[in-house]
Amino acid sequence: MRNTQIARPSARHRMRMRLLDAVDEDRRNVDVLLTALQQAVAEVHGLGGMVHLPGGGMSGILYMVADSGLPESMTRPWLIIPARGTAPPSKAARDDTPTWQAHLAPPDPVPGRDPAALWPSRVPAGIGHLSVPIPGGGRRRGALSVLFAPGDEPGPADSAFLNEVAAWMSSRLRSSGILNPSPTLLRALENGPGTREALPGNAEGMPSITYTWDLRTGELTADRPVEEVLAGIDPGVMAGGIEAWAALIHPDDLPGAVTGFDMGIQLRGGFQDEYRIRRQDGTYLWIEARARTLMDEAGTPVKVIGTLRDSSGTHTAAASVGRALRHMSDGFVSLDTDWRIGFINEAAEKLFGAAGEVAGALLWDIPALHALPDLEQRCRATAAEGRPAGLDVPGPDGMSWYHLRLVPVPEGLTLYITDTTERHLREAERTAAERAAAERASLVQRTTRELAEAVTAQDVMAAVADGVMTPLGATGLIMLGMADDRLTVVGSRGYSERFTRLLDGKWTVADNPVGDALSTRTTLFISSPEEFLKRYPATEILVREGGNEAWAVLPLAVPGREIGAAVISFARPRVLDDDERTLLTALSGLIAQALERAGLYDEATTRARTLQHSLLPQALPELPEVTTAARYQPAEQGADVGGDWYDVIPLSAARVALVIGDVMGHGMAEAATMGGLRTAVRTLSELELPPDEILGHLNDIVGELGTDAFATCLYGIYDPVTRMLSYASAGQPPPAVAQPDGTVTFLSMAPDPPLGVAAPPFETLETLLPADSLLALYSDGLVESKDRDVTTGMSHLAEFLSRSVNAMPTSPADGPGLDALCAGLSSDLLPAHGALSDDAALLLARTHPLDAENVAEWPLPEDPVAAGQARDLVRAQLSDWNLADEDLIMTTELLVSELVGNVVRHACGPIRLRMLRSRALICEISDASLTTPHIRHTSATDEGGRGLQLISALCPRWGTRHTRTGKSIWTEQPLPVPGEPG
């Protein structure tokens, strides 16, 4: 937009000319002229403009064929001007040169028309008038005129641009087909519209004058005196030639008459017109003129012969018909062959708008008809087929309706408009009644289905509220149960919390409508508050606080047991009809059965949830190697519980096992399988097996359960000494690792299938974790739902972890902070309560490496002296760690000495001693042998076999762990509590 505004005038000129070149070739002359005129006025910043062209055989006349931007009062004096006048359009056309007039003035008069008398009184002084000639190709020229504001004189560039536009007008007019009409058009013009002859002669037996107009001399001759046929007309008008005849034409009709003559002569055919001429007494007479152009041998028009007759009677009849049409009760609109509105009566104005605003407009441009996008196609099809058609149209007020009957006629199309609002209202009411009945039937059917599918008391409450309140127009529903002969509120809709508190547990079944309905097992209907209080005066506070005025009390009972009642209330007094009462009576039994099933479901759900929670860890262990937090969210649907689980298992050498798994499906069997797998994982972990072997054993266990049993599991071992995480997965999504700087990645995973269908061996992967990394293990229910795929869910998980890690406190071992993070992550990823379609488990672990100062390791010789060296190393290291408790030192020396002695006697080297100070004091003796030592019973005479019994007695935990190079025998002793005596 800015480039356009600052463009040089020549560039703007070229741009506008390119716009004109884009005008369609098939556009009408008037559209071509008007488009060019608008571009010209806009470019030179004019006030408005006009186009004048010569009038065919009427020599010496220029008539205005287009105008833009000027009020009608200013254009009226310029409709017809003399070609030899002094006004700028006349001089420009005559002299073939631009003409400037600094002060706008009326044009010169023509016979019978004085522009000065028509000149508006409020034209501002100083308006400039520039006219440029429109080239005529050797013929008479026209002129393009632009008016300028006072003091705004056009420059050379403006004149040059207007000359260029005028030349474009001339070229487009010459190429428009007017001077070279098709034979079909010539024949149509020669014969006139329809089958009527455009030839001289009587029309419908009426007297007429036959005249001849010599185009070379302008002479007019007639076969009889003009006053014999056209009473009151000046007898000498014919002697004055064509200019004298034009002077008698009504000013409003003159442009059309001139255009008709001009077109007929240029097209060398026949033409017909009707216009008014002035009598000698100043009144006007309607005449019908028919004519035909005669050519010489060279094809040049030389004469026009035609007939004139008095058509005032026809117009009087037409006026009478017009008045009748104008005031008829139905709407009537006539369209011409260009689909423009020519006549509209008062009734049609209600739909289309005022006649003065829509006259001449295209039918489909009327705003009230914009709701019919195919109106143009339908009108054209009706005219082409020649058969009437009809359509309905909404009124502009949005409430009324009209029927449009389209009737084709030779002169165009007529529309008959009938107000059908009442019929539409009746149809709408009938349709609404039918729709309401269908909706009620559908709602009842849906309520019955939803009651059959309801599994909780709240499901039953929602089904009744949605299915019964709407079709009955109820405003309140409250579902009541019974406990120890007192009413309890199961659920409510449309009641305040204050009212439900007033009712819940504070009223007995007796002396109220619920007791009567249950005792008789029939639905109770109360149509007004007066009736309610008359029958149950003690319930006045309930009537007052509830704010309703009619009630239906449905007893809810099953064989052998009364459940409660459903009370449907209405805001106004209401008497239910027989159909509604029958419906509620039938529904009461379905509601009771649904509530009975819901009660059984609630009991089963409670037992299932209790079982499931008992199978999950009651509390995660507090370990210095990892800070952990976990969340489990059961699925919403059904009484069946899921099989998601997690665990944190301390291992030897300060290592920690992190486990998460999911048994496919929901139900008690799946929950039991989950408990068995969790127990198996803990048992296998005690055997110090690597992750791939543990998954292999679990795969065997799941496979033995049957072909329809599947489970996923991820088992990882974190070593705080090396900061390595070893893990293997069977169908689980990859864990996320959030580094301290907030970077989040997902661990690489092997595409192993779930347990039960996998084919071992599984693959164990390793990754080095930065210090204080945050590890997130999760089941697929956390990141996948019906509205979100796994990839999107994992992206949300990574984004939340990144934001949260950056916002967490600096203390990496902050347990409450990690628990809050776990809760926030679950809330962010999981849908609202009650909308979870699958179980979800989440385990977060913040890793803490074991500092080098808490690790000590030495090689030992394969010699009996190794035991003594080990004792010395232990004593020295414990002293360095400020663990100088003599009992601890002596016990540790004894344990290490016994283990080293066993290796020297029964295994092979190399031998290594490692000590760790972590959650306990850990001692490890490693060798290259794969033989696992076992405690055995010894007799009194056995010399050996008591070493492992001694180790078992001296430390609470010990065991053997196989490594890549052999095995390690380890012991754990509790560290002394600071402040307690040794």
Side-chain angles (χ1 to χ4, degrees):
M1 180 67 70
R2 182 179 298 275
N3 292 337
T4 303
Q5 292 173 346
I6 64 175
R8 297 188 306 275
S10 59
R12 291 200 308 271
H13 294 173
R14 290 194 297 272
M15 185 183 301
R16 292 194 183 274
M17 293 308 300
R18 285 198 296 269
L19 290 176
L20 290 179
D21 289 339
V23 176
D24 294 337
E25 292 291 340
D26 59 354
R27 292 291 294 276
R28 298 183 307 171
N29 279 338
V30 65
D31 295 331
V32 170
L33 294 174
L34 183 58
T35 301
L37 179 61
Q38 290 171 342
Q39 291 290 340
V41 172
E43 176 60 27
V44 300
H45 305 291
L47 299 176
M50 301 174 287
V51 175
H52 285 84
L53 292 177
M58 296 186 66
S59 59
I61 296 295
L62 294 177
Y63 61 94
M64 190 177 70
V65 295
D67 68 276
S68 175
L70 300 176
E72 182 181 357
S73 60
M74 288 190 66
T75 60
R76 185 178 294 274
W78 295 93
L79 290 176
I80 299 176
I81 63 175
R84 296 192 175 276
T86 59
S90 302
K91 295 183 64 177
R94 184 175 65 252
D95 300 337
D96 194 22
T97 183
T99 302
W100 166 254
Q101 186 181 57
H103 299 281
L104 181 67
D108 299 294
V110 295
R113 184 178 181 88
D114 183 7
L118 302 174
W119 196 252
S121 60
R122 297 185 180 181
V123 175
I127 293 179
H129 188 171
L130 174 64
S131 295
V132 298
I134 297 177
R139 301 172 183 269
R140 288 171 295 174
R141 301 179 181 85
L144 164 63
S145 300
V146 178
L147 303 185
F148 290 85
D152 189 6
E153 182 173 349
D158 296 328
S159 297
F161 176 71
L162 293 180
N163 277 319
E164 190 173 358
V165 173
W168 182 88
M169 286 182 177
S170 178
S171 65
R172 287 302 299 268
L173 290 174
R174 286 201 304 271
S175 63
S176 64
I178 291 178
L179 299 180
N180 297 288
S182 67
T184 302
L185 179 59
L186 281 174
R187 287 195 299 269
L189 289 171
E190 187 175 276
N191 295 327
T195 59
R196 293 179 296 178
E197 295 285 342
L199 296 173
N202 289 345
E204 302 174 1
M206 297 293 292
S208 62
I209 300 173
T210 300
Y211 70 92
T212 301
W213 174 18
D214 191 326
L215 297 178
R216 291 168 296 190
T217 65
E219 181 183 3
L220 279 177
T221 59
D223 65 343
R224 66 173 72 180
V226 66
E227 65 272 14
E228 291 182 5
V229 176
L230 306 178
I233 300 301
D234 182 4
V237 67
M238 289 294 183
I242 192 65
E243 280 78 8
W245 182 263
L248 298 182
I249 299 176
H250 193 289
D252 291 342
D253 299 341
L254 182 60
V258 172
T259 302
F261 278 112
D262 186 42
M263 293 293 289
I265 294 171
Q266 292 193 41
L267 295 176
R268 295 149 172 85
F271 52 93
Q272 175 179 339
D273 196 7
E274 251 188 318
Y275 51 84
R276 291 165 289 179
I277 59 174
R278 188 176 67 254
R279 296 187 181 97
Q280 290 179 303
D281 61 1
T283 62
Y284 282 88
L285 174 74
W286 278 98
I287 68 169
E288 179 185 77
R290 299 186 182 190
R292 176 189 238 174
T293 305
L294 300 180
M295 283 79 66
D296 59 14
E297 293 180 356
T300 301
V302 294
K303 289 184 180 181
V304 174
I305 62 171
T307 60
L308 302 171
R309 74 174 183 88
D310 187 345
S311 62
S312 298
T314 303
H315 275 269
T316 301
S320 176
V321 173
R323 285 192 297 272
L325 291 174
R326 181 68 181 166
H327 299 288
M328 64 186 290
S329 60
D330 286 345
F332 180 83
V333 178
S334 66
L335 307 179
D336 60 21
T337 54
D338 291 330
W339 311 104
R340 297 183 181 275
I341 295 176
F343 176 82
I344 179 172
N345 70 354
E346 293 178 353
E349 290 181 359
K350 297 178 182 178
L351 175 61
F352 286 20
E357 298 176 359
V358 301
L362 286 170
L363 178 66
W364 33 86
D365 288 344
I366 302 301
L369 300 180
H370 286 173
L372 301 174
D374 61 341
L375 178 60
E376 179 178 357
Q377 291 79 4
R378 298 191 66 168
C379 288
R380 294 184 183 276
T382 300
E385 296 171 0
R387 294 195 301 268
L391 64 155
D392 290 334
V393 182
D397 57 2
M399 300 177 61
S400 56
W401 280 87
Y402 298 89
H403 179 76
L404 268 60
R405 179 171 172 80
L406 311 177
V407 180
V409 294
E411 296 80 10
L413 192 70
T414 58
L415 280 70
Y416 296 88
I417 305 170
T418 305
D419 190 334
T420 58
T421 303
E422 291 187 6
R423 177 167 60 83
H424 271 82
L425 288 177
R426 291 194 298 271
E427 292 177 356
E429 290 173 357
R430 182 175 66 255
T431 302
E434 294 173 352
R435 185 186 301 112
E439 289 177 352
R440 179 176 297 184
S442 175
L443 284 171
V444 170
Q445 184 179 15
R446 186 183 67 185
T447 302
T448 303
R449 182 179 65 254
E450 291 181 353
L451 286 174
E453 297 173 353
V455 292
T456 68
Q458 293 307 313
D459 292 341
V460 176
M461 176 68 200
V464 176
D466 295 339
V468 175
M469 291 179 64
T470 299
L472 294 182
T475 56
L477 169 68
I478 190 163
M479 201 84 72
L480 300 173
M482 293 193 306
D484 298 330
D485 200 35
R486 287 190 172 273
L487 298 177
T488 60
V489 177
V490 176
S492 67
R493 182 80 64 88
Y495 282 98
S496 65
E497 184 178 353
R498 169 187 172 88
F499 181 81
T500 55
R501 287 199 307 267
L502 178 65
L503 184 59
D504 192 18
K506 298 180 174 62
W507 294 78
T508 61
V509 177
D511 299 329
N512 62 63
V514 174
D516 287 350
L518 285 174
S519 62
T520 59
R521 296 294 179 94
T522 58
T523 302
L524 184 63
F525 301 99
I526 304 174
S527 58
S528 67
E530 293 76 15
E531 181 182 354
F532 199 116
L533 294 176
K534 180 178 180 180
R535 298 173 65 173
Y536 309 101
T539 60
E540 179 181 359
I541 188 173
L542 295 179
V543 175
R544 184 176 66 252
E545 293 293 335
N548 291 296
E549 299 189 3
W551 299 263
V553 183
L554 283 60
L556 305 179
V558 295
R561 192 167 78 90
E562 296 176 343
I563 298 176
V567 182
I568 301 171
S569 55
F570 303 87
R572 295 290 181 266
R574 172 76 183 275
V575 178
L576 299 175
D577 59 33
D578 292 340
D579 290 341
E580 293 169 332
R581 295 187 179 213
T582 301
L583 169 66
L584 292 179
T585 300
L587 284 178
S588 65
L590 296 175
I591 298 171
Q593 295 171 14
L595 280 178
E596 176 73 2
R597 291 191 302 271
L600 297 175
Y601 165 80
D602 289 339
E603 295 177 5
T605 300
T606 301
R607 291 194 300 270
R609 300 296 186 209
T610 302
L611 170 64
Q612 187 173 40
H613 284 289
S614 67
L615 296 175
L616 291 172
Q618 302 303 304
L620 296 177
E622 296 183 5
L623 305 173
E625 298 82 12
V626 291
T627 304
T628 57
R631 282 292 183 280
Y632 169 75
Q633 181 64 47
E636 170 266 336
Q637 293 182 342
D640 294 337
V641 294
D644 291 19
W645 92 92
Y646 56 85
D647 212 343
V648 179
I649 306 172
L651 302 178
S652 62
R655 298 172 306 141
V656 181
L658 304 172
V659 192
I660 194 162
D662 181 7
V663 177
M664 304 294 185
H666 296 84
M668 297 293 287
E670 284 73 10
T673 300
M674 178 267 285
L677 290 179
R678 178 170 176 256
T679 301
V681 168
R682 296 190 72 90
T683 301
L684 294 171
S685 298
E686 292 293 331
L687 299 178
E688 301 284 354
L689 298 178
D692 58 329
E693 292 187 24
I694 287 183
L695 291 188
H697 287 293
L698 293 178
N699 185 65
D700 294 338
I701 295 173
V702 176
E704 293 174 356
L705 298 177
T707 58
D708 58 346
F710 305 100
T712 61
C713 182
L714 184 142
Y715 187 94
I717 298 176
Y718 173 66
D719 189 340
V721 177
T722 62
R723 294 189 287 116
M724 294 295 297
L725 175 69
S726 304
Y727 60 96
S729 174
Q732 275 291 123
V737 178
Q739 300 184 20
D741 63 357
T743 303
V744 177
T745 58
F746 289 93
L747 298 181
S748 60
M749 298 283 286
D752 288 322
L755 302 174
V757 294
F762 293 88
E763 182 180 3
T764 296
L765 302 174
E766 291 186 341
T767 186
L768 182 65
L769 297 179
D772 299 322
S773 294
L774 180 62
L775 189 64
L777 284 67
Y778 53 91
S779 63
D780 58 354
L782 184 76
V783 294
E784 184 180 22
S785 67
K786 60 183 180 180
D787 301 322
R788 181 181 62 197
D789 57 32
V790 174
T791 303
T792 303
M794 292 173 60
S795 298
H796 291 171
L797 171 64
E799 294 172 1
F800 189 90
L801 282 176
S802 179
R803 294 195 309 269
S804 302
V805 167
N806 291 327
M808 287 186 69
T810 56
S811 174
D814 181 18
L818 192 63
D819 191 72
L821 171 61
C822 191
L825 197 152
S826 300
S827 175
D828 183 76
L829 291 179
L830 296 179
H833 178 70
L836 189 63
S837 59
D838 190 14
D839 294 24
L842 171 65
L843 175 62
L844 296 182
R846 173 81 78 177
T847 61
H848 311 300
L850 195 61
D851 296 334
E853 63 183 17
N854 292 319
V855 181
E857 186 173 9
W858 307 274
L860 295 176
E862 299 181 46
D863 189 88
V865 300
Q869 290 183 10
R871 288 192 295 271
D872 294 340
L873 292 172
V874 166
R875 177 173 289 275
Q877 187 61 50
L878 292 178
S879 298
D880 289 345
W881 284 343
N882 294 321
L883 299 176
D885 180 79
E886 191 62 27
D887 290 341
L888 178 63
I889 294 175
M890 292 181 63
T891 300
T892 306
E893 288 178 337
L894 181 57
L895 291 172
V896 171
S897 178
E898 182 62 30
L899 293 177
V900 171
N902 282 343
V903 170
V904 171
R905 287 193 297 273
H906 304 295
C908 59
I911 307 173
R912 297 190 68 83
L913 167 64
R914 187 172 74 160
M915 298 180 65
L916 306 176
R917 182 176 62 173
S918 180
R919 59 178 179 265
L921 178 61
I922 301 170
C923 297
E924 291 184 338
I925 304 298
S926 302
D927 60 60
S929 172
L930 297 177
T931 304
T932 301
H934 298 284
I935 297 178
R936 61 185 178 87
H937 295 286
T938 59
S939 64
T941 58
D942 289 338
E943 294 182 359
R946 296 180 177 85
L948 293 181
Q949 293 182 1
L950 177 62
I951 290 174
S952 179
L954 291 177
C955 62
R957 293 186 69 214
W958 73 279
T960 303
R961 181 179 74 256
H962 289 280
T963 64
R964 292 188 178 92
T965 58
K967 70 175 184 296
S968 292
I969 303 175
W970 54 269
T971 64
E972 283 190 10
Q973 304 172 77
L975 293 173
V977 178
E980 291 188 3

